[in-house]
């Protein structure tokens, strides 16, 4: 088999491992997909295993499809006939339909999506007369989902506090309704399949005998149900081949348990363990930084990543004056990298800990008129909670804005249903006034002539809203933008509505609200008109799409991806690691792994960036560097130290090197491109050199990145603490050498 010749020794050892349990600890960029697919090809072509005797499980349809295509490229298509490759959910769904006679549902069951699931839970909560604010459907359903992932059935749900008793009641009823509708949710698919294999020996033997080899990808991301499932499916032959890396386990909030790798070694003490340590993605300096960070983690199997790609550039560390300077630096640096021809826009990625952090970066791209693409989340101004708060502000500023009124009249829920809203609009048309005018008048209660249009049950919440509306309008006349924002949040108890549980998603939504609030505060000395106009203009540009553009994404979304140049922003304590992890050792360990994942996404360039102050221009808070930065050896860094001192300037010459030509990519240009048709004239010697510290009258101190003589003038690229990278004419800039 010629394909074995292309494997390194560690990969070959994994692919050709004998029967029995095998654990492949695959470092980032070490070729784990190649190992998995070639293992399948090896079993079929060399070991005589029939395709239908092989089960390969992964987490996404995309990964499953890629595995299939790669195996097809190694063997002819007929050789794959009957082989089962797919996600946990797709494979389990197939088994359930075949074995429905053992289940409380029929084989033609339907799979309810997340909206369907939440709707059922919400209905049950209403029917049980539970307080919908205390027991929000999303929160209760999340508790039920966690229980199912831990293989806990409704009757076995533990009740330690009163809330648990309520959740158990809802769980029992929820499951009854799913069964009555011949439906399952996503968690049921795994739960039913696992319990089926455990409780019906004949079914377990049927599948365990069929699957002579079970292969599992991304093993560190399995939960309790998935781990139990693969153990059952491999119980007859004992040939279980798991590939994963506990150092890249960052999805505990989804139920993933990196300790399953440790459990595997405890359950299969005779397992063959192979370490994949050769990295084909990153330069050695990047890998050394990653190892320095992850080696501080507790209770892990150490590995030494190495690369044949050379040391590469040092890691560029930049400490901006504030979060605006942080965003400006990123955009300018990417523009320079692209303009130099060294990278395509698509080769660059900006990574951050929370979705809310994308706002300033998005705005910086838009202000520079440069496209970008956002992965894994809506654009900041398209997020539900952001649109809600903007709608409140728009309505208060312009009561005629019926679109905003319709959006928030029942946010948070206050008993204003579709029927009441329709009645409100009809009453407005009949009286030739706006719906908002009626709401404002209803603040007077039954004294309002409009009160009679509504039933008592409908009029009360409208009158309550009208009362708040009157107060907000008054505050808008005399108070600041941020004061109005705060009053709205307080009056409607929006924080409780957004943070309906302890999930990370809930916390992210509240952080988005806080980020919008920071923007509002910047307009305290300006007008509401300007605030809303700025948002409208930025939000309109959010429709920009581009294929060849830098990617903005969270560190969680970055797992499994790779980019030529990676910018990790927000490296402050409280962000990375996140403040909500400070008191939880396990979560702090996951935060460290998350930083490690981000570092190892970079192929050639890595930028680590933080800001001295954060929180907007009018409410700056001093920050502290991320504790994880202390783990990165100083000899791997270039740029500006954590104490504000310049590092060795040796790699400044190559960080953004050479004269920046007019970009070949018209849609993506440097913020300060050289004059078209400019002729390089070496008529005088350059005054500024890479690494020289300079001071600008407006932008303060900076460091020269590059300098060229052009058109009898000196063109200088300088990275300033306050505004990032700027291209200047030495004859006009009035730079002072420090």
């Amino acid at each position: 088999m010629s394909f074995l010749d292309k494997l390194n020794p560690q990969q070959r050892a994994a692919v050709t491992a004998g029967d029995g349990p095998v654990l492949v600890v695959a470092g980032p960029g070490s070729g784990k997909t190649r190992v998995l697919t070639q293992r399948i090809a090896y079993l079929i072509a060399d070991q005589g295993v029939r395709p239908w005797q092989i089960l390969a499980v992964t987490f996404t349809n995309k990964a499953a499809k890629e595995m299939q295509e790669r195996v097809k490229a190694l063997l002819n298509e007929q050789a794959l006939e009957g082989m089962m490759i797919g996600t946990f959910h797709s494979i389990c769904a197939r088994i359930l339909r075949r074995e429905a006679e053992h289940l409380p549902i029929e084989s033609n069951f339907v799979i309810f999506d997340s909206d369907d699931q939440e709707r059922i839970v919400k209905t049950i909560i209403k029917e049980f007369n539970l307080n919908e604010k205390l027991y929000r459907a999303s929160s209760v359903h999340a508790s039920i989902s966690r229980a199912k992932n831990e293989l806990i059935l409704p009757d076995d749900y533990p009740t330690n506090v009163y809330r648990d008793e309520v959740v158990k009641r809802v769980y029992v009823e929820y499951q009854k309704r799913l069964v009555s509708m011949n439906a399952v949710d996503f968690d049921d698919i795994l739960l039913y399949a696992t319990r089926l294999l455990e409780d019906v020996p004949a079914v377990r033997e049927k599948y365990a005998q069929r699957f002579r080899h079970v292969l599992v990808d991304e093993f560190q991301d399995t939960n309790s149900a998935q781990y139990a499932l693969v153990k059952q499916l491999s119980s007859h032959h004992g040939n279980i081949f798991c590939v994963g890396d506990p150092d890249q386990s960052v999805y505990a909030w989804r139920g993933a348990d990196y300790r399953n790798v440790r459990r595997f070694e405890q359950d299969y003490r005779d397992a063959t363990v192979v370490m994949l340590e050769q990295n084909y993605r990153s330069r050695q300096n990047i890998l050394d930084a990653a190892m320095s960070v992850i080696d501080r983690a507790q209770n892990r199997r150490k590995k030494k990543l190495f690369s044949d790609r050379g040391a590469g550039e040092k890691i560029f560390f930049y400490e901006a004056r504030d979060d605006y300077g942080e965003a400006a630096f990123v955009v300018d640096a990417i523009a320079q990298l692209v303009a130099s021809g060294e990278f395509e826009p698509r080769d660059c990625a900006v990574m951050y800990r929370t979705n809310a952090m994308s706002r300033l970066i998005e705005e910086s791209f838009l202000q520079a008129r440069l496209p970008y693409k956002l992965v894994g989340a809506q654009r900041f101004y398209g997020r539900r909670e952001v649109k809600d708060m903007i709608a409140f502000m728009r309505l208060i500023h312009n009561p005629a804005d019926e679109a905003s009124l319709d959006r928030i009249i029942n946010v948070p829920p206050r008993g204003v249903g579709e029927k009441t809203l329709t009645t409100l609009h009809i009453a407005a048309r009949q009286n030739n006034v706006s719906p908002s005018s009626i709401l404002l008048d209803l603040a007077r209660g039954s004294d309002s002539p409009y009160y009679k249009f509504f039933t008592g049950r409908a009029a009360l919440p409208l009158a309550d809203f009208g009362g708040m509306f009157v107060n907000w309008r008054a505050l808008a006349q005399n108070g600041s933008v941020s004061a109005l924002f705060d009053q709205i949040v307080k009056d409607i108890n929006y924080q409780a509505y957004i943070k309906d549980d302890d999930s990370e998603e809930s916390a992210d939504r509240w952080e988005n609200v806080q980020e919008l609030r920071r923007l509002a505060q910047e307009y305290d000395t300006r007008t509401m008109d300007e605030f809303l106009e700025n948002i409208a203009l930025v939000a309109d540009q959010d429709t920009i799409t581009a294929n060849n553009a830098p990617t903005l994404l969270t560190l969680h979304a970055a797992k499994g991806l790779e980019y030529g140049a990676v910018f990790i922003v927000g490296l402050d304590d409280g962000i990375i690691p996140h403040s909500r992890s400070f008191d939880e050792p396990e979560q702090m360990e996951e935060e460290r792994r998350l930083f490690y994942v981000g570092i190892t996404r970079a192929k050639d360039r890595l930028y680590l960036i933080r800001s001295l102050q954060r929180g907007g221009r009018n409410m700056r808070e001093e920050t502290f560097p991320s504790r994880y930065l202390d783990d990165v050896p100083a000899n791997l860094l270039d740029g500006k130290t954590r104490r504000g001192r310049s590092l060795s300037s040796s790699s400044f010459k190559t960080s953004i090197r050479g004269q920046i030509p007019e970009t070949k990519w018209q849609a993506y240009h440097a913020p300060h491109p050289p004059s078209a048709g400019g002729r390089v004239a070496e008529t005088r010697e350059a005054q500024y050199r890479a690494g020289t510290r300079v001071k600008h009258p407006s932008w303060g101190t900076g460091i020269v990145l590059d300098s060229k003589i052009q058109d009898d003038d000196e063109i200088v690229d300088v990275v300033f603490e306050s505004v990032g990278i700027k291209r200047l004419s030495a004859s006009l800039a009035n730079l002072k050498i420090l």
Side-chain angles (χ1 to χ4, degrees), residues 427-568:
R429 285 197 296 273
Q430 289 178 354
N431 290 275
N432 198 29
V433 295
S434 71
S436 291
S437 297
I438 292 179
L439 285 171
L440 290 167
D441 198 74
L442 282 173
R444 298 190 294 136
S446 57
D447 291 338
S448 170
Y450 303 113
Y451 205 85
K452 63 184 179 183
F453 283 89
F454 307 94
T455 64
R457 185 176 180 181
L460 285 174
L462 291 177
D464 287 343
F465 185 83
M468 291 188 292
F469 198 179
V470 169
N471 293 334
W472 295 335
R473 290 275 293 162
L475 181 57
Q477 299 300 316
N478 304 308
S480 65
V481 176
S482 64
L484 175 60
F485 189 98
D486 291 342
Q487 193 63 48
I488 297 168
V489 170
K490 179 182 177 182
D491 287 347
I492 66 175
N493 200 14
Y494 200 59
Q495 182 173 2
Y497 173 64
I498 289 298
K499 298 184 70 173
D500 56 1
D501 56 33
D502 294 327
S503 70
E504 182 150 340
E505 181 184 358
S506 228
D508 283 349
R509 289 199 298 268
W510 178 243
E511 285 187 15
N512 291 335
V513 174
Q514 292 297 91
E515 180 63 26
L516 184 63
R517 197 261 179 204
R518 284 191 280 272
L519 177 62
Q521 191 174 37
E522 293 180 18
Y523 286 80
D524 280 352
T525 57
R526 299 158 75 180
T527 66
M528 178 73 82
D529 270 327
E530 291 176 289
F531 173 69
L532 293 174
E533 180 181 308
N534 174 73
I535 286 175
L537 292 175
V538 172
D540 278 348
Q541 293 180 76
D542 272 348
T543 58
I544 292 175
T545 57
N547 291 322
N548 191 7
T551 301
L552 279 57
L553 70 172
T554 65
L555 288 163
H556 280 103
K559 187 167 176 288
L561 304 176
E562 60 180 42
Y563 299 91
V566 167
F567 296 73
I568 303 179

Side-chain angles (χ1 to χ4, degrees), residues 74-265:
L74 295 170
L75 305 172
N76 63 67
E77 190 162 349
Q78 288 72 29
L80 306 184
E81 198 169 325
M83 184 168 58
M84 196 176 285
I85 298 179
T87 65
F88 275 99
H89 286 88
S90 65
I91 288 168
C92 288
R94 263 185 274 178
I95 292 174
L96 294 181
R97 293 194 191 281
R98 292 174 183 172
E99 309 298 335
E101 63 182 286
H102 302 287
L103 302 172
I105 51 176
E106 302 296 324
S107 61
N108 62 339
F109 62 81
V110 295
I111 302 171
F112 280 175
D113 64 20
S114 53
D115 287 341
D116 297 327
Q117 297 162 29
E118 249 183 64
R119 198 176 299 113
I120 296 171
V121 172
K122 189 172 185 177
T123 300
I124 295 170
I125 289 171
K126 281 185 177 180
E127 291 178 6
F128 283 5
N129 292 318
L130 297 170
N131 187 324
E132 292 182 57
K133 292 183 179 178
L134 287 177
Y135 302 103
R136 292 190 54 75
S138 58
S139 176
V140 173
H141 182 265
S143 297
I144 293 172
S145 177
R146 284 192 293 270
K148 289 185 177 183
N149 286 332
E150 293 295 326
L151 300 176
I152 299 172
L153 296 174
D155 291 338
D156 301 323
Y157 190 87
T159 54
N160 299 314
V161 295
Y162 180 70
R163 184 183 185 280
D164 295 338
E165 295 178 10
V166 173
V167 171
K168 181 173 183 174
R169 286 175 57 207
V170 176
Y171 185 8
V172 169
E173 182 62 25
Y174 171 71
Q175 210 59 25
K176 284 181 182 176
R177 296 196 185 188
L178 287 179
V179 171
S180 69
M181 290 183 278
N182 195 35
V184 296
D185 62 21
F186 296 124
D187 302 310
D188 280 333
I189 294 173
L190 299 179
L191 175 63
Y192 277 145
T194 305
R195 296 304 296 252
L196 175 68
L197 296 174
E198 288 180 350
D199 298 343
V200 186
V203 174
R204 179 177 63 248
E205 280 302 302
K206 174 181 175 181
Y207 290 96
Q209 285 187 34
R210 171 186 167 176
F211 297 126
R212 184 173 157 191
H213 288 270
V214 176
L215 299 89
V216 187
D217 190 15
E218 301 288 4
F219 187 61
Q220 78 281 347
D221 291 335
T222 53
N223 58 31
S224 296
Q226 289 159 337
Y227 181 66
L229 186 74
V230 295
K231 280 189 68 179
Q232 296 292 338
L233 290 171
S234 61
S235 59
H236 185 84
H237 297 285
N239 297 325
I240 178 171
F241 186 94
C242 297
V243 181
D245 181 6
D247 289 342
Q248 296 183 73
S249 180
V250 294
Y251 295 133
W253 49 281
R254 290 184 187 170
D257 192 344
Y258 75 97
R259 291 171 297 185
N260 282 345
V261 176
R262 200 180 309 155
R263 292 190 184 108
F264 181 94
E265 294 186 82

Side-chain angles (χ1 to χ4, degrees), residues 367-381:
Q367 288 163 7
R369 301 187 64 79
L370 302 177
Y372 64 91
K373 54 187 175 184
L374 192 67
V375 171
Q378 286 180 300
R379 298 177 187 276
F380 180 80
Y381 291 104

Side-chain angles (χ1 to χ4, degrees), residues 263-279:
R263 292 190 184 108
F264 181 94
E265 294 186 82
Q266 292 171 348
D267 291 345
Y268 302 99
R269 296 190 178 276
D270 60 338
T272 299
V273 179
V274 181
M275 307 280 285
L276 299 187
E277 297 173 300
Q278 182 169 356
N279 180 286

Side-chain angles (χ1 to χ4, degrees), residues 535-636:
I535 286 175
L537 292 175
V538 172
D540 278 348
Q541 293 180 76
D542 272 348
T543 58
I544 292 175
T545 57
N547 291 322
N548 191 7
T551 301
L552 279 57
L553 70 172
T554 65
L555 288 163
H556 280 103
K559 187 167 176 288
L561 304 176
E562 60 180 42
Y563 299 91
V566 167
F567 296 73
I568 303 179
V569 301
L571 283 167
D572 309 326
D573 244 29
I575 297 179
I576 307 174
H578 200 284
S579 57
R580 60 175 171 258
S581 303
F582 283 172
D583 297 329
E584 297 291 338
E586 282 288 342
Q587 291 181 23
M588 286 294 285
E589 289 290 284
E590 180 156 321
E591 293 288 304
R592 179 182 292 279
R593 295 195 295 270
L594 191 59
F595 184 36
Y596 167 78
V597 164
I599 292 173
T600 54
R601 301 309 95 194
K603 296 162 68 176
D604 298 298
R605 297 289 188 85
L606 176 64
Y607 296 76
L608 304 179
I609 308 157
R610 66 173 301 266
S611 64
L612 295 169
Q613 296 175 321
R614 196 172 292 279
R617 292 192 171 105
N618 295 338
M619 191 185 69
R620 293 180 176 177
E621 296 180 355
E622 297 293 327
T623 64
F624 295 94
S626 168
R627 64 195 69 188
Y628 301 147
L629 285 171
D630 290 331
D631 301 332
V632 180
N635 67 307
L636 296 178

